[in-house]
Amino acid sequence: MSFRATVLTLYPEMFPGPLGASLAGRGLAEGVWSLEARNIRDHAIDKHRTVDDTPAGGGAGMVLRCDVLAAALDAVADGRPMLAMTPRGKPLTQHRVRELAAGEGAIILCGRFEGFDERIFEARPVEPVSIGDYVLSGGELGAMAMLDACVRLLPGIMGATSSGEEESFEEGLLEYPHYTRPVEWEGRTIPEVLRSGDHAKIAQWRKQRAIEDTRLRRPDLIVRHGGAREAPPSGAQRED
Ligand code: SAH
């Protein structure tokens, strides 16, 4: 059975958007996965189709009503994981993306304005998910980012099956850097080792660069994975 995504949003016209292009778009056209965007407003209960109200306790903005959100979720709930996009959520990881991609799909709730009435997280099994430590104006781009990450892992989406396995985060490290022709460009050459044809040396160089670049750019990843990562052999020089 294929991966089914249901997005609950106030802006269903945003979908498929970028998910309709490239790999994800082809997969959608070929039925490798499916996408349904539903309007939360269809579950409003008053004649003005109100979905939000002012924050209890005061303050700026509007809050999405829990009764409307629950009705929108209940209408599509079928055992797939239910996730809500919010900067207050647990940061999305490649590990969670892999779990989701291995399942039947996902139901994704997109916020707007100040976000959701908190009681929705108590009353329904909804997992709060953040795509990073910054604030978007709505959950739709977050949902798209998450779905894109899941869909590219589905069988039949990526050409070379191995290209999903060596990526950044798969081993708790950033991926090594890539190069392609021209060999020389603006006086800079592709590292010699990558042109040597010596696969063992290439693998060693890549591992070393993955560790070094992760140390420099994302020391938090090293810490998160235990910090005990083997350092490159002491005195080892970058061969680039
Ligand atoms: N007042 C909220 C932010 C609301 S932003 C707060 O400070 O926590 C409006 C909506 O955009 C949110 O409900 C959420 O669905 C989405 N959004 C914003 N930033 C996000 C992020 N980093 N990850 C996931 N969704 C996000």
Side-chain angles (χ1 to χ4, degrees):
M1 218 174 62
S2 64
F3 183 95
R4 290 182 304 119
T6 300
V7 180
L8 305 173
T9 167
L10 289 171
Y11 299 95
E13 66 276 16
M14 287 188 177
F15 291 85
L19 297 174
S22 192
L23 292 180
R26 197 183 322 139
L28 200 52
E30 288 173 358
V32 176
W33 71 293
S34 68
L35 173 65
E36 181 191 25
R38 292 203 172 204
N39 201 330
I40 294 171
R41 201 173 293 282
D42 293 343
H43 299 277
I45 40 200
D46 64 326
K47 68 172 193 286
H48 302 294
R49 304 221 300 158
T50 310
V51 295
D52 56 356
D53 208 333
T54 54
M62 298 294 274
V63 176
L64 292 169
R65 288 170 56 136
C66 52
D67 50 359
V68 177
L69 295 172
L73 285 168
D74 293 348
V76 295
D78 61 359
R80 283 174 292 164
M82 299 199 285
L83 309 115
M85 304 311 301
T86 166
R88 284 168 38 83
K90 201 170 156 189
L92 185 64
T93 60
Q94 186 66 12
H95 176 74
R96 186 68 186 116
V97 163
R98 274 206 179 275
E99 285 178 349
L100 289 169
E104 289 172 48
I107 294 168
I108 308 169
L109 192 54
C110 299
R112 279 274 154 181
F113 326 123
E114 289 309 315
F116 313 108
D117 182 313
E118 186 68 12
R119 289 172 290 178
I120 195 65
F121 296 103
E122 296 156 19
R124 296 293 183 276
V126 182
E127 176 186 332
V129 175
S130 165
I131 65 152
D133 293 341
Y134 41 83
V135 180
L136 304 169
S137 54
E140 291 77 11
L141 287 171
M144 287 175 194
M146 183 168 75
L147 285 174
D148 182 82
C150 291
V151 164
R152 64 189 286 282
L153 298 176
L154 299 175
I157 293 278
M158 271 196 295
T161 43
S162 73
S163 58
E165 285 154 24
E166 277 197 19
E167 314 271 15
S168 290
F169 312 115
E170 293 292 351
E171 285 188 85
L173 294 173
L174 301 180
E175 199 189 39
Y176 48 80
H178 293 287
Y179 299 86
T180 189
R181 283 179 284 268
V183 169
E184 194 185 334
W185 173 74
E186 293 192 352
R188 293 158 204 281
T189 50
I190 295 177
E192 182 69 40
V193 58
L194 297 181
R195 292 177 283 140
S196 67
D198 182 335
H199 296 294
K201 261 176 76 183
I202 292 171
Q204 194 192 355
W205 180 89
R206 285 179 165 169
K207 182 81 188 179
Q208 185 187 322
R209 275 301 299 266
I211 294 171
E212 271 178 39
D213 291 355
T214 307
R215 282 236 164 91
L216 283 171
R217 296 179 181 178
R218 293 295 306 277
D220 58 303
L221 288 180
I222 305 262
V223 172
R224 213 184 296 163
H225 284 82
R229 247 173 222 293
E230 204 46 40
S234 63
Q237 297 289 308
R238 274 192 182 183
E239 295 187 46
D240 53 2

Coordinates of all heavy atoms in Angstrom, one line a residue, residues 64 84-88 109-116 129-140 142, ligand 1:
L64 N -6.1 29.0 17.0 CA -7.0 28.1 16.3 C -7.8 27.3 17.3 O -7.2 26.8 18.3 CB -6.2 27.1 15.4 CG -5.6 27.8 14.2 CD1 -4.6 26.9 13.4 CD2 -6.7 28.3 13.2
A84 N 1.4 17.7 14.2 CA 1.0 19.1 14.1 C 2.3 19.9 14.0 O 3.2 19.7 14.8 CB 0.2 19.5 15.3
M85 N 2.3 20.8 13.0 CA 3.5 21.6 12.8 C 3.5 22.8 13.8 O 2.5 23.6 13.9 CB 3.5 22.2 11.4 CG 3.4 21.2 10.3 SD 4.6 19.8 10.4 CE 6.1 20.6 10.4
T86 N 4.5 22.9 14.6 CA 4.6 24.0 15.6 C 6.1 24.2 16.0 O 6.8 23.2 16.2 CB 3.7 23.7 16.8 OG1 4.1 24.6 17.9 CG2 3.8 22.3 17.4
P87 N 6.5 25.4 16.2 CA 7.9 25.6 16.7 C 8.0 25.2 18.1 O 9.2 25.0 18.6 CB 8.1 27.2 16.5 CG 6.7 27.8 16.4 CD 5.8 26.7 15.8
R88 N 6.9 24.9 18.8 CA 7.0 24.3 20.1 C 7.2 22.8 20.1 O 7.2 22.1 21.2 CB 5.7 24.7 20.9 CG 5.7 26.1 21.4 CD 4.3 26.6 21.9 NE 3.6 25.5 22.7 CZ 3.8 25.3 24.0 NH1 4.7 26.0 24.6 NH2 3.2 24.3 24.6
L109 N -1.3 18.5 10.6 CA -2.1 19.7 10.9 C -1.2 20.9 10.8 O -0.1 21.0 11.4 CB -2.6 19.5 12.4 CG -3.7 20.4 13.0 CD1 -4.9 20.4 12.1 CD2 -4.0 19.9 14.4
C110 N -1.7 21.9 10.0 CA -0.9 23.1 9.8 C -1.5 24.2 10.6 O -2.7 24.5 10.4 CB -0.8 23.5 8.3 SG -0.1 22.2 7.3
G111 N -0.7 24.9 11.4 CA -1.2 26.1 12.1 C -1.1 27.4 11.3 O -0.4 27.4 10.3
R112 N -1.7 28.4 11.8 CA -1.6 29.8 11.3 C -1.7 30.7 12.5 O -2.1 30.2 13.6 CB -2.7 30.1 10.3 CG -2.3 29.5 8.9 CD -1.5 30.5 8.1 NE -0.7 29.8 7.1 CZ 0.2 30.4 6.3 NH1 0.3 31.8 6.3 NH2 0.9 29.8 5.4
F113 N -1.5 31.9 12.3 CA -1.7 32.9 13.4 C -0.8 32.6 14.6 O 0.4 32.3 14.4 CB -3.2 33.1 13.8 CG -4.1 32.9 12.6 CD1 -5.1 32.0 12.6 CD2 -4.0 33.7 11.4 CE1 -6.0 31.9 11.5 CE2 -4.8 33.6 10.3 CZ -5.8 32.7 10.4
E114 N -1.4 32.5 15.8 CA -0.6 32.2 17.0 C -0.4 30.7 17.2 O 0.2 30.3 18.1 CB -1.1 32.9 18.2 CG -0.9 34.4 18.3 CD 0.5 34.8 18.0 OE1 1.4 34.2 18.6 OE2 0.7 35.7 17.2
G115 N -1.1 29.9 16.4 CA -1.0 28.5 16.5 C -2.3 27.8 17.1 O -3.4 28.4 17.0
F116 N -2.1 26.7 17.8 CA -3.2 25.8 18.2 C -3.6 26.0 19.7 O -2.7 26.2 20.5 CB -2.9 24.3 18.0 CG -2.2 24.0 16.7 CD1 -0.9 23.7 16.6 CD2 -3.0 23.9 15.6 CE1 -0.3 23.4 15.4 CE2 -2.4 23.6 14.4 CZ -1.1 23.3 14.3
V129 N 5.5 18.7 16.0 CA 6.7 18.6 15.3 C 7.2 20.0 14.8 O 6.4 20.8 14.3 CB 6.5 17.8 14.0 CG1 7.8 17.8 13.1 CG2 6.2 16.4 14.4
S130 N 8.5 20.3 15.1 CA 9.1 21.5 14.6 C 10.1 21.2 13.5 O 10.7 20.2 13.5 CB 9.8 22.2 15.7 OG 10.7 23.2 15.2
I131 N 10.2 22.1 12.5 CA 11.2 21.9 11.5 C 12.4 22.7 11.7 O 13.3 22.7 10.9 CB 10.7 22.1 10.0 CG1 10.2 23.5 9.8 CG2 9.5 21.1 9.7 CD1 10.4 23.8 8.3
G132 N 12.5 23.4 12.8 CA 13.7 24.2 13.1 C 13.4 25.3 14.0 O 12.3 25.7 14.3
D133 N 14.5 25.9 14.6 CA 14.4 27.0 15.6 C 14.2 28.3 14.9 O 15.1 29.2 15.0 CB 15.6 26.9 16.5 CG 15.6 25.7 17.4 OD1 14.5 25.0 17.5 OD2 16.6 25.3 17.9
Y134 N 13.1 28.5 14.2 CA 12.8 29.8 13.6 C 11.3 29.7 13.4 O 10.7 28.6 13.5 CB 13.5 30.0 12.3 CG 13.5 28.7 11.4 CD1 12.4 28.4 10.7 CD2 14.6 27.9 11.5 CE1 12.4 27.2 9.9 CE2 14.6 26.7 10.8 CZ 13.5 26.4 10.0 OH 13.5 25.2 9.3
V135 N 10.6 30.9 13.2 CA 9.2 30.9 13.2 C 8.7 31.2 11.8 O 9.0 32.2 11.2 CB 8.6 31.9 14.2 CG1 7.1 31.9 14.2 CG2 9.1 31.6 15.6
L136 N 7.9 30.3 11.2 CA 7.3 30.5 9.9 C 5.9 31.1 10.1 O 5.4 31.2 11.3 CB 7.0 29.1 9.2 CG 8.2 28.2 9.0 CD1 7.8 26.8 8.6 CD2 9.2 28.8 8.0
S137 N 5.3 31.6 9.1 CA 4.0 32.2 9.3 C 2.9 31.1 9.2 O 1.7 31.4 9.6 CB 3.7 33.3 8.2 OG 3.9 32.8 6.9
G138 N 3.2 29.9 8.8 CA 2.2 28.9 8.8 C 2.9 27.5 8.7 O 4.0 27.4 8.4
G139 N 2.1 26.5 9.0 CA 2.7 25.1 9.0 C 2.8 24.5 7.7 O 3.4 23.4 7.5
E140 N 2.3 25.1 6.6 CA 2.3 24.5 5.3 C 3.7 24.2 4.8 O 3.9 23.1 4.2 CB 1.5 25.3 4.3 CG -0.1 25.4 4.6 CD -0.4 26.3 5.7 OE1 0.4 27.1 6.2 OE2 -1.6 26.3 6.2
G142 N 6.3 23.8 6.5 CA 6.9 22.8 7.3 C 6.4 21.4 6.9 O 7.1 20.5 6.8
Ligands
SAH1 N1 3.0 31.6 18.3 C1 3.7 30.5 17.9 C2 4.1 30.6 16.4 C3 3.0 30.6 15.5 S1 3.6 30.6 13.8 C4 4.9 30.3 18.8 O1 5.6 31.2 19.1 O2 5.2 29.1 19.1 C5 2.2 30.0 12.9 C6 2.2 28.6 12.5 O3 3.3 28.3 11.7 C7 2.3 27.6 13.7 O4 1.1 27.2 14.2 C8 2.9 26.4 12.9 O5 2.0 25.6 12.3 C9 3.8 27.0 11.9 N2 5.2 27.1 12.2 C10 5.9 28.2 12.5 N3 7.2 27.9 12.7 C11 7.3 26.6 12.6 C12 8.4 25.6 12.8 N4 9.6 26.0 13.2 N5 8.1 24.3 12.7 C13 6.9 23.9 12.3 N6 5.8 24.7 12.1 C14 6.0 26.0 12.3

